[in-house]
Amino acid sequence: MIAQISPPELDFLPVAPELVLAGGGMAIMLAEAALPRVTSRVLLIASLLIVAGAAGITVALWGWDGEPTVLAGMVATDRFAVLIRGVLLAVAAIGAVYGHHQFDRAGERRPEFFPLLLFATTGMTLIAAASDLILTFLALEILSLSLYVLAGFSRRVTASEASMKYFLLGAFSSAFFLYGVALAYGATGTTSIGGIARALSGPSEGLPLAMVAAALLAVGFSFKVAAVPFHMWTPDVYQGAPTAVVGFMSAATKVAAFAALIRVFNVAFLPLSWDWTPIVGVLAAVTMVVGSLLAIAQTDVKRMLAYSSIAHAGFILTGVMAANQEGIASATFYLVAYALMIVGAFGVVLLVSGDERTSLSSYAGLAVRSPLLAALLSLFLLSLAGIPPTAGFMAKVSVFRAAVDAGHTWVVIVAVLASVVAAFFYLRVIVLVYMKEPEEELQPDRSPLPALTVAVPAVATLVLGVFPGLVFGLLETASIFRW
Amino acid sequence: MSSQEIVFVVLGIVGLGAAVRLVTARNVVHAALYLVVSLAMVGGTYLVLAAEFVAFVQVLIYVGAIVVLLLFSLMLTRAPIGREALDNQQRGISALVALGILAGLAFLIQDAFRDARIEPDATPTGAVGVSIFQNFVLPFELVSVLLLAALIGAVVLARKDLP
């Protein structure tokens, strides 16, 4: 006799965006294998449709009024996850256009780019919603593995070297993270983020163990968000990997990893916030100072942007260390602004440095050859420097205010000094672009599609700089974690 | 000694013998076959502990898949199969590391359980299935996405016929 098996009650709707992304990635892979003549343009359109479908479901999830977590507590359905997913999907769409353009221009056939991009996006959107450390780890691995391969997507030796370096250090950081998960389980008897918070808020024997777990998880996240002293891989990988891939990963990885970091530290380890805020503060201060100082010495635009992205990790950590709702809202706003400006800046680099010649001196006189690209680059650099009326300025103001309100004035003083130092090297590039004579070989790419794509984050950077309320309005509800 | 303990001791001795032969064998195919015996004995130990699902998974995956994969990769690549060059000079250090791990584990297990007697508690396979397909269904499915991404990555990195 066959026993009656009753199917379990599972609500897959809150992970529908991920199902669409992963399923779409597999469909594109199969299509590429079954139809060998399919062009990269068709694959690009298919990828964009898949991302748009996932984005549509994500928007619908904003109004979710069911359980706070589904699938046995694995996935959070709060609006924070929805907002971060939206940002990630936008970056993924831009990254798909970049990748298509770069490989098409070089005459390389890289159909695997799209499935890997979609898998990486699956991991990223899922990590933003993960409310169990097991799921966080798996999502982190999916996004990392896809990015290791994407970073090596070039025939140049530096790309393979970048990929290898990223892989080795990433594997190392995964081990730290996994050990942290194990210790958190040892301290609290659960891997659920909400469960850890409940276990730690009462009297607990596992507090020292939980502190070590928090430290190890912080190390794991610090590798992914490129916080000093775990930033060593960033400049080499950003310089070696194809610019299109760097544009995607610099924005999306940081958003995804920070989303998970914010959730883990502001929910699971919130009862220990007195212990971890000073440590995160030191991490933030060191990251801002080292990132800004080392960026000055760079002569390659991709390395400079890499150090700039390191410095920005420090500014975002400044918001995280406030450990309250204002801190979460400001750090999230910073993530949105940062994603827009860094993906735009790398888009301009993709168009200007066609054959990966990315030395800063080749940007001299860009304004003569292409006033539009020069203007876009200046806008993104001004925003990265945090000069009004750009999103970067509003983002810096909001994290500084959150940190001061939470009583961490010393970090804000360091942050302001670091911003001043950072402004120097951004403005130096703008001076180079506008006030020097152009070099002979500078031939910026004039393709319309990528230029149009770069214009999207440019407009968004300006709009958010003037009307920051557009995102802060969403953040009123999106900065509350439900668990 | 109960019959269970006798079976356990026998399994342990056979597994240990196979493991020792595994590292001392001069022929890599023989070593792989000793690995089969050693892993199968571990699977048998799980059966003695009434964890039949884990035991079958052990046999299916380790004995079935991994060792066969190992033999296939020996067959398909030009790795030296015979008696030549299957040794390096790290014997002393690896023995030291292995003994260190053994001592550490023995101490930890001795320290944690002391004289406690733990009766084998049969977990029905049904409960394992419910756990995987209800509580851990999403991680379970995600692992396959992870493996797929790794597979694509391996193909991308390994192929040389790029235009």
Side-chain angles (χ1 to χ4, degrees):
Chain A
M1 194 193 103
I2 299 168
Q4 191 68 40
I5 298 171
S6 59
E9 296 274 330
L10 293 171
D11 201 344
F12 277 103
L13 189 63
V15 287
E18 285 75 29
L19 297 181
V20 170
L21 286 170
M26 290 174 208
I28 288 186
M29 210 173 72
L30 289 175
E32 199 276 327
L35 313 164
R37 283 158 178 276
V38 69
T39 59
S40 173
R41 182 177 291 268
V42 176
L43 294 180
L44 169 69
I45 293 169
S47 308
L48 290 180
L49 285 176
I50 291 162
V51 172
I57 301 169
T58 304
V59 171
L61 282 176
W62 182 264
W64 174 267
D65 53 1
E67 297 287 316
T69 57
V70 293
L71 296 172
M74 288 279 168
V75 177
T77 56
D78 49 24
R79 289 182 172 178
F80 177 77
V82 174
L83 181 74
I84 295 289
R85 268 190 190 127
V87 178
L88 289 168
L89 290 171
V91 172
I94 295 173
V97 177
Y98 285 179
H100 164 74
H101 183 69
Q102 178 162 20
F103 298 127
D104 208 37
R105 184 175 62 191
E108 292 180 37
R109 192 172 152 72
R110 296 274 187 187
E112 315 89 354
F113 173 78
F114 297 106
L116 283 172
L117 181 88
L118 291 175
F119 288 147
T121 314
T122 310
M124 289 166 178
T125 55
L126 202 60
I127 204 173
S131 71
D132 192 294
L133 290 176
I134 291 176
L135 199 62
T136 311
F137 176 71
L138 274 175
L140 196 69
E141 284 305 292
I142 291 178
L143 79 90
S144 307
L145 259 177
S146 313
L147 286 175
Y148 300 149
V149 182
L150 285 174
F153 255 41
S154 171
R155 274 172 293 182
R156 294 178 310 134
V157 180
T158 47
S160 314
E161 197 187 310
S163 173
M164 195 66 199
K165 195 164 201 170
Y166 195 22
F167 171 69
L168 285 178
L169 289 176
F172 201 53
S173 77
S174 296
F176 273 103
F177 189 89
L178 202 54
Y179 199 20
V181 175
L183 287 186
Y185 181 77
T188 61
T190 175
T191 54
S192 148
I193 289 177
I196 292 172
R198 270 187 287 277
L200 291 180
S201 54
S204 165
E205 291 176 10
L207 278 183
L209 209 54
M211 283 301 297
V212 180
L216 287 170
L217 291 176
V219 170
F221 281 127
S222 296
F223 265 103
K224 292 294 165 204
V225 304
V228 177
F230 310 105
H231 66 290
M232 305 296 185
W233 57 273
T234 319
D236 295 335
V237 173
Y238 281 21
Q239 188 184 17
T243 311
V245 173
V246 179
F248 169 68
M249 70 181 255
S250 62
T253 314
K254 198 155 289 196
V255 172
F258 258 116
L261 183 148
I262 292 172
R263 189 185 290 277
V264 168
F265 278 82
N266 278 303
V267 177
F269 294 116
L270 192 61
L272 304 180
S273 66
W274 276 104
D275 297 301
W276 60 256
T277 41
I279 300 168
V280 171
V282 172
L283 201 65
V286 174
T287 305
M288 288 182 287
V289 170
V290 171
S292 302
L293 286 180
L294 289 182
I296 296 175
Q298 302 308 316
T299 56
D300 182 287
V301 67
K302 282 164 88 178
R303 284 188 88 85
M304 191 203 86
L305 286 173
Y307 279 106
S308 147
S309 95
I310 294 169
H312 281 286
F315 290 115
I316 301 168
L317 283 174
T318 311
V320 174
M321 78 175 291
N324 54 26
Q325 202 198 334
E326 189 192 1
I328 298 167
S330 67
T332 312
F333 183 85
Y334 205 117
L335 282 176
V336 177
Y338 166 80
L340 290 172
M341 53 211 191
I342 200 83
V343 81
F346 274 111
V348 178
V349 173
L350 173 69
L351 289 175
V352 177
S353 310
D355 44 1
E356 300 278 353
R357 269 187 317 211
T358 50
S359 79
L360 267 180
S361 56
S362 70
Y363 280 72
L366 178 66
V368 179
R369 291 288 159 89
S370 174
L372 175 69
L373 285 180
L376 286 171
L377 183 63
S378 310
L379 172 67
F380 291 126
L381 290 178
L382 286 175
S383 184
L384 285 166
I387 289 166
T390 56
F393 170 71
M394 290 315 301
K396 280 211 171 80
V397 170
S398 63
V399 290
F400 291 172
R401 193 169 50 203
V404 170
D405 287 353
H408 306 297
T409 316
W410 68 273
V411 181
V412 176
I413 295 171
V414 176
V416 171
L417 291 176
S419 312
V420 174
V421 174
F424 166 73
F425 61 81
Y426 295 120
L427 294 178
R428 194 182 58 175
V429 178
I430 297 179
V431 168
L432 203 64
V433 164
Y434 278 98
M435 308 204 173
K436 291 277 166 60
E437 288 300 307
E439 285 185 18
E440 283 311 305
E441 69 263 42
L442 182 65
Q443 285 299 340
D445 193 332
R446 292 178 198 282
S447 320
L449 179 64
L452 213 62
T453 315
V454 176
V456 174
V459 171
T461 306
L462 273 180
V463 169
L464 281 190
V466 182
F467 304 108
L470 290 176
V471 167
F472 274 116
L474 299 178
L475 278 171
E476 273 174 24
T477 47
S479 58
I480 300 168
F481 293 110
R482 296 172 67 213
W483 42 277
Chain B
M1 267 168 96
S2 67
S3 58
Q4 210 179 22
E5 286 166 341
I6 295 169
V7 175
F8 175 75
V9 169
V10 171
L11 287 172
I13 290 170
V14 175
L16 183 69
V20 170
R21 288 294 290 136
L22 161 65
V23 290
T24 52
R26 298 224 165 249
N27 184 316
V28 71
V29 178
H30 292 177
L33 295 175
Y34 280 118
L35 185 61
V36 170
V37 179
S38 181
L39 291 174
M41 291 308 122
V42 177
T45 315
Y46 292 143
L47 265 187
V48 174
L49 294 173
E52 80 272 12
F53 181 74
V54 186
F56 291 130
V57 167
Q58 165 85 12
V59 172
L60 271 178
I61 293 181
Y62 283 91
V63 180
I66 293 195
V67 175
V68 171
L69 192 70
L70 196 75
L71 289 174
F72 262 101
S73 53
L74 281 176
M75 208 171 76
L76 297 176
T77 60
R78 286 186 209 152
I81 292 182
R83 291 161 183 282
E84 72 275 21
L86 186 68
D87 224 349
N88 58 29
Q89 305 306 317
Q90 313 296 330
R91 219 175 284 173
I93 298 172
S94 52
L96 208 66
V97 171
L99 285 176
I101 293 175
L102 177 68
L105 281 178
F107 171 76
L108 280 179
I109 292 174
Q110 177 65 26
D111 190 50
F113 295 103
R114 303 214 177 253
D115 297 330
R117 257 196 94 74
I118 299 160
E119 291 301 321
D121 181 19
T123 307
T125 304
V128 177
V130 166
S131 189
I132 288 181
F133 289 103
Q134 194 155 11
N135 298 340
F136 291 95
V137 64
L138 193 61
F140 181 72
E141 297 295 333
L142 274 179
V143 170
S144 51
V145 177
L146 178 67
L147 291 177
L148 182 61
L151 203 64
I152 300 174
V155 173
V156 169
L157 294 180
R159 62 181 248 202
K160 291 182 182 147
D161 58 330
L162 278 175

